[in-house]
Amino acid sequence: MNAQSVTTHLRTLGHRISRAREAIIEIFSSTTKPLTAIDVLLTLEKVGLPVNKTTVYRELEFLLAQHLLQEVQIESGIIHYESAAQDHHHHLICQTCKQIVAVDPKEIEQGIDKLARRVRINEGFTISDHSLEFYGHCAHCQ
Amino acid sequence: MNAQSVTTHLRTLGHRISRAREAIIEIFSSTTKPLTAIDVLLTLEKVGLPVNKTTVYRELEFLLAQHLLQEVQIESGIIHYESAAQDHHHHLICQTCKQIVAVDPKEIEQGIDKLARRVRINEGFTISDHSLEFYGHCAHCQ
DNA sequence: GCACTATATGCAAACTAGTTGCGTTTGTCA
DNA sequence: TGACAAACGCAACTAGTTTGCATATAGTGC
Ligand SMILES: [Mn+2]
Ligand SMILES: [Mn+2]
Ligand SMILES: [Zn+2]
Ligand SMILES: [Zn+2]
């Protein structure tokens, strides 16, 4: 899902495409990195489209409600967002330089699903989502 | 590791055992639930040992530095702590009532380790830790 | 038991991420 | 081009957490 098709989609739903909205959609469709509200704010400043932080927060909330973004549970304290138009995946987080890399752990999803079924039987818990993040050090920060 | 042995350990390291410290150690050694600073604060009040929130935050930081507590990556925004004297495990989080249940997914650790090795080879990332949390609904909140 | 001293504590103030109310601007469409 | 709701900016607010500094207290030695 590229930026163009996202804005078209929103327009058909009757939503406006303001400059800020368009720019934020563009930011998320051109990276796979999970971004924070502050990341978005700073990127907009760099691109010469400064907006108020409230606008950024409200826009992230809006795009989340439209299922165009999804929250990523990384470190505690700061919400990260990434495009929802990505296959399910998990993350490697470098504890030194804080960079985040996506990892697509197909081989583990089966095990996770099996566990989810067992948990449902044993604990009566139905699982609708999971987060799996890896912490360590990237090649540079060894 | 029970509360008694923890305080003895701290004493040998030259740390004092204040009433608040003792009570907080007791709280964490008598539950497996991950607790927030506020949880601890309220529990201390209930037990008739009210302390300032700053004390709670400083004590959690202290016990974390002593490796007697560990942070748990749950929802963003609030840091949860649990006793470090527990086997490695993960959590089920009910999205309705917010209760947290521990799950010991031995069957999945192998898969996670295999993935960690693959990631090390492919991406040059060395993984030292991971977090895996499940989100869903408990038996009560279906 | 009493004094000493560093550690732990309380309080107030600051800080950060995020939220809310409200008046103003702007995108869309007639 | 004008109407009007959606989006925006601003300022004030909140919750969780941190910091500086003065006071209280646990542990040691007398
Ligand atoms: Mn997965
Ligand atoms: Mn594990
Ligand atoms: Zn790194
Ligand atoms: Zn529940």
Side-chain angles (χ1 to χ4, degrees):
Chain A
M1 197 115 106
N2 59 0
Q4 178 61 40
S5 62
V6 168
T7 54
T8 304
H9 170 71
L10 287 177
R11 255 189 253 267
T12 66
L13 292 176
H15 298 291
R16 295 186 189 170
I17 306 302
S18 65
R19 278 191 234 165
R21 177 162 295 164
E22 190 166 33
I24 292 174
I25 290 167
E26 178 57 36
I27 288 169
F28 279 102
S29 63
S30 65
T31 184
T32 64
K33 276 197 202 305
L35 304 175
T36 65
I38 309 296
D39 291 336
V40 173
L41 192 79
L42 294 177
T43 305
L44 289 173
E45 273 175 22
K46 259 184 228 158
V47 186
L49 241 154
V51 293
N52 192 272
K53 63 175 177 163
T54 307
T55 302
V56 173
Y57 281 109
R58 284 202 269 236
E59 195 56 33
L60 294 177
E61 190 183 5
F62 170 81
L63 294 173
L64 189 65
Q66 301 299 316
H67 303 104
L68 296 170
L69 291 185
Q70 58 195 359
E71 283 189 0
V72 181
Q73 307 287 341
I74 301 182
E75 283 173 295
S76 53
I78 307 152
I79 305 175
H80 288 71
Y81 298 85
E82 64 183 11
S83 167
Q86 299 182 48
D87 284 347
H88 174 81
H89 62 276
H90 300 279
H91 303 96
L92 310 173
I93 299 146
C94 177
Q95 290 167 321
T96 303
C97 69
K98 309 297 179 196
Q99 79 160 297
I100 301 169
V101 175
V103 57
D104 180 355
K106 294 238 187 315
E107 59 207 81
I108 218 175
E109 295 300 326
Q110 266 195 358
I112 290 176
D113 290 347
K114 208 188 284 180
L115 178 59
R117 277 196 299 281
R118 203 203 63 183
V119 162
R120 175 169 194 175
I121 293 165
N122 289 1
E123 322 254 6
F125 232 95
T126 43
I127 292 172
S128 54
D129 199 8
H130 66 264
S131 80
L132 170 61
E133 319 303 336
F134 294 93
Y135 298 88
H137 296 279
C138 73
H140 256 249
C141 300
Q142 298 293 341
Chain B
M1 196 114 106
N2 59 2
Q4 178 61 41
S5 61
V6 167
T7 54
T8 305
H9 171 71
L10 287 177
R11 255 189 254 266
T12 64
L13 292 177
H15 298 290
R16 295 186 189 172
I17 306 302
S18 65
R19 278 190 234 165
R21 178 162 295 166
E22 191 165 33
I24 292 173
I25 289 167
E26 178 57 36
I27 288 169
F28 279 102
S29 62
S30 64
T31 184
T32 63
K33 273 195 204 305
L35 305 174
T36 65
I38 309 295
D39 291 336
V40 172
L41 192 78
L42 295 177
T43 306
L44 289 174
E45 273 174 23
K46 260 185 226 159
V47 186
L49 242 153
V51 294
N52 191 271
K53 62 178 175 161
T54 308
T55 302
V56 173
Y57 281 108
R58 282 201 271 238
E59 195 57 32
L60 294 176
E61 190 184 7
F62 170 81
L63 295 172
L64 189 65
Q66 302 299 317
H67 303 103
L68 296 169
L69 292 184
Q70 59 195 0
E71 284 189 358
V72 181
Q73 309 286 341
I74 302 182
E75 283 172 294
S76 54
I78 307 152
I79 304 175
H80 288 72
Y81 298 84
E82 64 183 12
S83 166
Q86 299 181 49
D87 284 348
H88 174 80
H89 62 275
H90 300 279
H91 303 96
L92 309 174
I93 299 145
C94 178
Q95 290 166 321
T96 303
C97 69
K98 309 298 177 194
Q99 79 161 299
I100 301 168
V101 175
V103 58
D104 181 356
K106 294 239 186 315
E107 60 207 82
I108 217 175
E109 294 302 326
Q110 267 194 357
I112 289 177
D113 290 346
K114 208 190 284 181
L115 177 59
R117 276 196 299 280
R118 204 204 63 183
V119 163
R120 174 167 194 177
I121 292 165
N122 289 1
E123 322 255 6
F125 233 96
T126 43
I127 294 173
S128 54
D129 199 8
H130 65 266
S131 79
L132 170 61
E133 320 303 336
F134 293 93
Y135 299 87
H137 296 279
C138 73
H140 257 248
C141 300
Q142 298 293 339

